[in-house]
Amino acid sequence: MSLGRKAASGAAWNVVTGLGGRGVGLIATLALTRFLDPTEFGEVSVAVVTVLLAARFATTGLGPFVIANRSPPAEVFQAFTLHIVLVGTAALMVVAARGPLSETFGSPAAAQYIPGLALAIFIMQLAHIPSAIMMRGLRFRFIATSRAAGEVAYAVVSVALAAFIGAAAIVVGNIARAALVATVVISGSDRREWLHPVRLHLATIRRMLRFGLPLSASGASGDLAAWGDKLLVSYLHGPGVMAQYKIADSLASTPTSNVVDYMVDVLLPSFSQMETEEKRLLLPRTAALMSLVLFPLAVGLAAVAPTVVRTLLDPRWAGVAPMLALLCAMNLPHPIGWVVTTFLASEKRTIPIMGVSVARLIFVFGAILTLGRAGPVWLCAGIAAAYLVYGVVTAVVGWRVGGLSATALLSATARPLLASLLMGAAVLAFRTTITSSMTGWIALPLEIGVGGLAYVGLVFLVARSTTLELIRLTKAVIASRGAA
């Protein structure tokens, strides 16, 4: 199978299993809102975010390092050892400081959940380097399947226990997910590629950190923007409002976390095997294909947000609807942002990646600390605007640093965006005139159906060539799977 066919096949498998696994996880989160009130849900969410950020700041880009540099087994083992030491140290530190941290973020009760969540994170990180080796070998199917199985484990355990132990069920569910994923990945990996015990060499560590630290700082600042906002919302408005914001953010992120994130996982391993000019030519097409999948999901979710909330959540969570509609705009810059940063990473230009990620962090936190003080809806509007500005900045950095055509990238995504916006307008008109008085379980599938039909017609009208290319790729992937 050609490299392009393998990449397309990996992306397709990642998307399918990602939709299943993350979909189960999302259903579990919605089910948990039936057992937990917003304040209790917010307290455990503060603990989750605190532990995730501590672990994220301890990573040093060692997974991308072994992928991009095709590291031999001895070097991979050193990356594994360094990664585990750093993450373990971070886990111990956050457990020791759990009391003051929880107090700082306005949720003292969160401290009780931190030790169990720190254990879950440490277990999950045992699989980080073996997973990177599998991705380097284009074993996307195995990684995607293990992730999906982990999401199912989390959903089953957390929902089953929520009625008995409350928010602690989320902690137990996280441990179950981490244990399953780590066991499957480590047992399924070729340990000759990474379990090659050698002493750590200072020169190797320096080379790893020189590559990985800017990339890690980029990822950490991006995650701080994606997760740290929850802590700021809890600080400004309390854990109850933060819980509603977190649910809105989780729903708004569904198009990226369930679809495009899995396409992005394929990019770096594939780009690392291409020449620079070949990548430059491919980027606008890649961004267009991502937009064709992502934009209708994001705009459609914003259009049906009020119906989604009144259908799936009880009245305690009604404040989620306007937040969700606004936060869906966060998805729109991602196709350009992802292809630009992945191109730069494959070219080992990690400092500009760090720069744009830090800029996003500044934009998001600035919006929260200014507009966010006026209330939750203003906060979400500010975050949406911050992400749009970040998209423009990323396109400019790709042009100035990577020699990419910002015009080509923007024009490649413009047609799928137009089709999606017209589809959203059709759904809004349909709800206003027909479904507004219907019960949610009837209205929601009708609105989704209208949106889907409208988009199919519109996308062939305004983005025909990109749509036909996506269809060709899909057919090629299906054919290759049948031949295998």
Side-chain angles (χ1 to χ4, degrees):
M1 192 186 298
S2 69
L3 176 61
R5 186 70 59 81
K6 285 182 179 179
S9 177
W13 187 262
N14 276 359
V15 168
V16 171
T17 56
L19 279 170
R22 292 288 185 88
V24 169
L26 181 59
I27 291 170
T29 298
L30 296 175
L32 287 169
T33 64
R34 300 287 179 176
F35 297 102
L36 309 176
D37 63 42
T39 298
E40 189 179 13
F41 194 98
E43 289 165 351
V44 73
S45 297
V46 168
V48 169
V49 171
T50 301
V51 172
L52 285 173
L53 286 176
R56 189 65 183 85
F57 279 104
T59 62
T60 51
L62 298 178
F65 174 85
V66 300
I67 293 174
N69 290 276
R70 311 292 299 174
S71 298
E75 190 171 78
V76 175
F77 179 79
Q78 293 179 72
F80 173 80
T81 303
L82 181 60
H83 179 73
I84 294 305
V85 169
L86 292 173
V87 172
T89 301
L92 292 174
M93 290 175 64
V94 76
V95 169
R98 63 189 182 277
L101 287 171
S102 300
E103 292 278 356
T104 298
F105 300 124
S107 184
Q112 63 186 305
Y113 305 115
I114 286 178
L117 291 166
L119 174 62
I121 286 293
F122 180 76
I123 294 171
M124 182 70 83
Q125 291 303 311
L126 292 173
H128 179 68
I129 297 300
S131 176
I133 295 302
M134 286 186 172
M135 292 176 65
R136 187 177 72 181
L138 305 182
R139 293 182 63 188
F140 304 117
R141 181 173 181 171
F142 188 94
I143 296 299
T145 303
S146 66
R147 287 173 175 171
E151 293 298 329
V152 172
Y154 167 78
V156 171
V157 172
S158 60
V159 174
L161 295 178
F164 304 100
I165 60 175
I170 294 176
V171 178
V172 180
N174 274 276
I175 294 173
R177 171 170 52 195
L180 178 62
V181 173
T183 301
V184 170
V185 170
I186 291 174
S187 63
S189 66
D190 184 352
R191 287 181 284 280
R192 293 173 300 179
E193 295 190 68
W194 63 273
L195 194 57
H196 185 86
V198 294
R199 290 188 302 110
L200 292 176
H201 298 291
L202 186 58
T204 302
I205 292 174
R206 285 175 178 167
R207 190 160 61 88
M208 290 177 181
L209 296 180
R210 189 163 49 247
F211 173 92
L213 281 177
L215 200 61
S216 177
S218 169
S221 61
D223 289 341
L224 186 58
W227 300 335
D229 57 342
K230 316 301 187 298
L231 301 179
L232 282 181
V233 174
S234 181
Y235 170 76
L236 290 174
H237 301 293
V241 172
M242 188 275 256
Q244 298 193 61
Y245 171 77
K246 184 178 185 298
I247 294 296
D249 182 65
S250 296
L251 289 170
S253 301
T254 299
T256 54
S257 62
N258 281 349
V259 180
V260 184
D261 276 354
Y262 295 98
M263 299 170 72
V264 173
D265 283 345
V266 177
L267 290 182
L268 181 57
S270 303
F271 279 8
S272 65
Q273 301 181 44
M274 297 180 186
E275 297 297 326
T276 299
E277 287 305 316
E278 185 181 3
K279 286 181 281 190
R280 286 197 178 108
L281 291 173
L282 185 63
L283 286 177
R285 291 171 54 203
T286 304
L289 290 170
M290 285 186 178
S291 301
L292 202 67
V293 176
L294 174 60
F295 287 171
L297 296 175
V299 175
L301 182 56
V304 302
T307 309
V308 166
V309 171
R310 71 184 174 94
T311 303
L312 302 181
L313 302 176
D314 67 36
R316 292 178 299 174
W317 299 83
V320 171
M323 296 183 187
L324 172 59
L326 289 166
L327 290 177
C328 285
M330 295 188 305
N331 295 293
L332 301 182
H334 285 325
I336 291 177
W338 279 324
V339 297
V340 169
T341 55
T342 304
F343 169 78
L344 293 174
S346 70
E347 293 289 304
K348 301 179 177 61
R349 305 290 296 274
T350 55
I351 291 178
I353 300 175
M354 178 182 67
V356 295
S357 190
V358 170
R360 178 175 60 179
L361 174 65
I362 292 171
F363 297 153
V364 170
F365 278 23
I368 293 173
L369 294 173
T370 52
L371 288 174
R373 294 181 181 276
V377 173
W378 280 102
L379 181 146
C380 294
I383 291 174
Y387 269 85
L388 295 176
V389 173
Y390 154 75
V392 174
V393 170
T394 304
V396 172
V397 169
W399 164 53
R400 296 296 299 271
V401 176
L404 305 177
S405 171
T407 302
L409 290 172
L410 291 170
S411 63
T413 59
R415 290 179 180 273
L417 179 59
L418 175 60
S420 300
L421 292 175
L422 292 172
M423 174 206 68
V427 173
L428 290 175
F430 183 73
R431 181 171 70 247
T432 301
T433 57
I434 297 176
T435 61
S436 59
S437 59
M438 295 181 179
T439 60
W441 291 109
I442 296 175
L444 184 58
L446 287 175
E447 291 174 17
I448 293 173
V450 167
L453 291 173
Y455 184 69
V456 169
L458 288 164
V459 78
F460 273 101
L461 182 64
V462 303
R464 184 177 181 83
S465 62
T466 305
T467 304
L468 292 175
E469 182 175 7
L470 180 61
I471 293 173
R472 284 195 298 271
L473 280 173
T474 303
K475 288 182 177 178
V477 169
I478 294 172
S480 68
R481 286 296 169 196

